Amino acid sequence: TNMFVGSVMSFSIYAKQGSLLSFIYKGQSYPGGASADGMPTFVKLNASKDPATSQSISWMSSPLASGAAAVVKYATAADFAAKGSDALITVEGTSIVSEMASSGNAATNYAVRINSVFLTDLTPNTEYVYFAGDGTLMTTAAKTFSTAGGNQDTNFFIIGDTQAKDTTNTSLISQSLANSGIAFDFGIQTGDAVDNGGNYAMWEGIAKVFSDDFLGSQDMIHVLGNHEYYGDTTAHNSAAYFELPGTENGTAPLCYSVEYNNVYVAVINYAGADSYREAAQWIIEDAAQSDATWKVLTMHVAPYYTNPAGGSEAVREIISDLVDAADIDFVFSGHDHSYARTEPMTGGEIDRENGAVYYICGSTGEKSYEIVFNPLHHYAFTSDNFNATYLTVNATDEDFTVTTYDLLED
């Protein structure tokens, strides 16, 4: 029936016979999110397990105007320069329609198509061009990515919680990274990218930033925080848009790993204590298979927290044991909306020769928690005054250099 689609509305459907009433189904009709003309919107790159030979690409589009297909046409930059569109290879991916209905108001709930394509069998250390869309409505300008390989040194950046309504500070971080002159291999966002994973307006705000000219061209590792599950209990939207490795049937993975040059990165998404134990065992076994010079763990909740209300002694014990057993060198977390760095630690004690350093990576403002000092956490530095914070890392075979910036303090 077309009764419910003439305008955005809430409705209830039920059958009635005399005094008998069936179960009541409540629903609504939705406006389409993303660009009204169906063109690909918020196009971005995501990290993959083998970045030398594969690439993840995702975007959103309006389900009212775009086709039910996710298509990427790509070629090496050299082939495209020589042959133009004749060089393009077409690959189809996954396209789903998500009903983002947690705004509390039918008029501001939206349906949006989330699209992703995973390219494989690529050539290492090679620049590619690509176009994304539904096969008919495609990005008009060629976008680019480069596969990993050929460089043993690795540069990456870390951004903390970005769930602010005002994305100005996140945009400032993107601009600063773009102007740094550094060729980054990948980036990490430590979770709570959005305040509510089922709210389209919140997705629209942060997706504009993560698909800008700089961040949209970077392989991004997106950790899932607790807020990705608000309004979206399986983090379906985040898993689809970030095309997280290991996603099954629309459900986000508990943990996974990627490896860029000489850096191994293990990721744990937000979970309960029992799940952290499961993740810890998997990472211990997985990390043992890597011969990367440096091993990094990133997760949302900080093991050595500054906010006891959001921290957990069980998580601290599980993760500190994992870090020691898996020979993890650095841990990057978020959640506490503060910046903190511990002394190098092994077994919960300072070990400046062989210990791992734990970071809480700040946020982009609007929200902070008072830092509660815990002498057992061995902080080397803490601050809750940072509002546009990011970290950069340069990893060589000899050194792992972490530099922290706050754009509103410098």
Side-chain angles (χ1 to χ4, degrees), residues 291-343:
D291 59 2
T293 306
W294 303 99
K295 294 180 180 177
V296 167
L297 169 65
T298 184
M299 57 189 295
H300 182 60
V301 175
Y304 290 94
Y305 48 84
T306 57
N307 174 26
S312 165
E313 286 300 301
V315 172
R316 181 186 61 75
E317 292 175 5
I318 294 166
I319 299 304
S320 61
D321 288 347
L322 154 64
V323 167
D324 293 346
D327 291 326
I328 300 294
D329 300 293
F330 292 87
V331 180
F332 298 103
S333 301
H335 193 51
D336 286 356
H337 293 254
S338 63
Y339 174 79
R341 170 174 50 85
T342 70
E343 299 283 359

Side-chain angles (χ1 to χ4, degrees), residues 165-247:
K165 293 180 181 178
D166 183 349
T167 59
T168 299
N169 288 348
T170 310
S171 294
L172 287 174
I173 290 171
S174 178
Q175 293 166 18
S176 181
L177 288 165
N179 294 332
S180 68
I182 300 172
F184 291 102
D185 295 281
F186 65 95
I188 296 172
Q189 195 276 319
T190 61
D192 284 3
V194 291
D195 200 49
N196 185 303
N199 186 304
Y200 175 75
M202 294 177 181
W203 274 111
E204 182 180 49
I206 198 61
K208 285 180 180 177
V209 182
F210 279 116
S211 62
D212 70 14
D213 288 344
F214 175 76
L215 289 177
S217 65
Q218 306 297 308
D219 279 15
M220 289 297 302
I221 298 171
H222 285 277
V223 183
L224 299 190
N226 50 309
H227 282 266
E228 273 80 6
Y229 293 88
Y230 288 6
D232 183 13
T233 56
T234 63
H236 173 83
N237 296 327
S238 302
Y241 184 50
F242 299 146
E243 200 176 12
L244 301 182
T247 297

Side-chain angles (χ1 to χ4, degrees), residues 35-40 59 61-62 64-67 69 71 73 131-140:
S35 179
D37 60 6
M39 290 295 289
W59 65 96
S61 59
S62 170
L64 302 180
S66 64
V71 175
K73 299 180 180 183
F131 300 83
D134 63 5
T136 301
L137 297 172
M138 305 291 289
T139 50
T140 54

Side-chain angles (χ1 to χ4, degrees), residues 51-284:
T53 62
S54 61
Q55 181 65 63
S56 166
I57 303 166
S58 60
W59 65 96
M60 297 184 188
S61 59
S62 170
L64 302 180
S66 64
V71 175
V72 165
K73 299 180 180 183
Y74 77 98
T76 65
D79 283 352
F80 187 72
K83 303 176 184 178
S85 60
D86 289 341
L88 294 173
I89 300 168
T90 300
V91 176
E92 293 192 21
T94 301
S95 181
I96 64 169
V97 174
S98 176
E99 298 170 355
M100 297 191 181
S102 67
S103 75
N105 183 342
T108 54
N109 290 332
Y110 285 82
V112 65
R113 192 179 297 283
I114 304 177
N115 308 279
S116 61
V117 172
F118 190 69
L119 306 179
T120 59
D121 299 322
L122 304 177
T123 303
N125 194 31
T126 300
E127 183 181 11
Y128 286 84
V129 300
Y130 74 94
F131 300 83
D134 63 5
T136 301
L137 297 172
M138 305 291 289
T139 50
T140 54
K143 295 179 176 291
T144 65
F145 67 85
S146 294
T147 50
N151 177 19
Q152 291 306 304
D153 295 350
T154 305
N155 290 288
F156 65 98
F157 58 88
I158 307 106
I159 303 173
D161 296 40
T162 60
Q163 66 194 95
K165 293 180 181 178
D166 183 349
T167 59
T168 299
N169 288 348
T170 310
S171 294
L172 287 174
I173 290 171
S174 178
Q175 293 166 18
S176 181
L177 288 165
N179 294 332
S180 68
I182 300 172
F184 291 102
D185 295 281
F186 65 95
I188 296 172
Q189 195 276 319
T190 61
D192 284 3
V194 291
D195 200 49
N196 185 303
N199 186 304
Y200 175 75
M202 294 177 181
W203 274 111
E204 182 180 49
I206 198 61
K208 285 180 180 177
V209 182
F210 279 116
S211 62
D212 70 14
D213 288 344
F214 175 76
L215 289 177
S217 65
Q218 306 297 308
D219 279 15
M220 289 297 302
I221 298 171
H222 285 277
V223 183
L224 299 190
N226 50 309
H227 282 266
E228 273 80 6
Y229 293 88
Y230 288 6
D232 183 13
T233 56
T234 63
H236 173 83
N237 296 327
S238 302
Y241 184 50
F242 299 146
E243 200 176 12
L244 301 182
T247 297
E248 293 185 1
N249 299 320
T251 300
L254 171 61
C255 56
Y256 60 92
S257 69
V258 299
E259 195 163 315
Y260 282 76
N261 303 324
N262 60 352
V263 177
Y264 165 92
V265 183
V267 181
I268 303 178
N269 291 320
Y270 183 80
D274 288 342
S275 294
Y276 283 123
R277 291 187 182 91
E278 178 186 341
Q281 186 57 47
W282 184 89
I283 290 171
I284 290 169

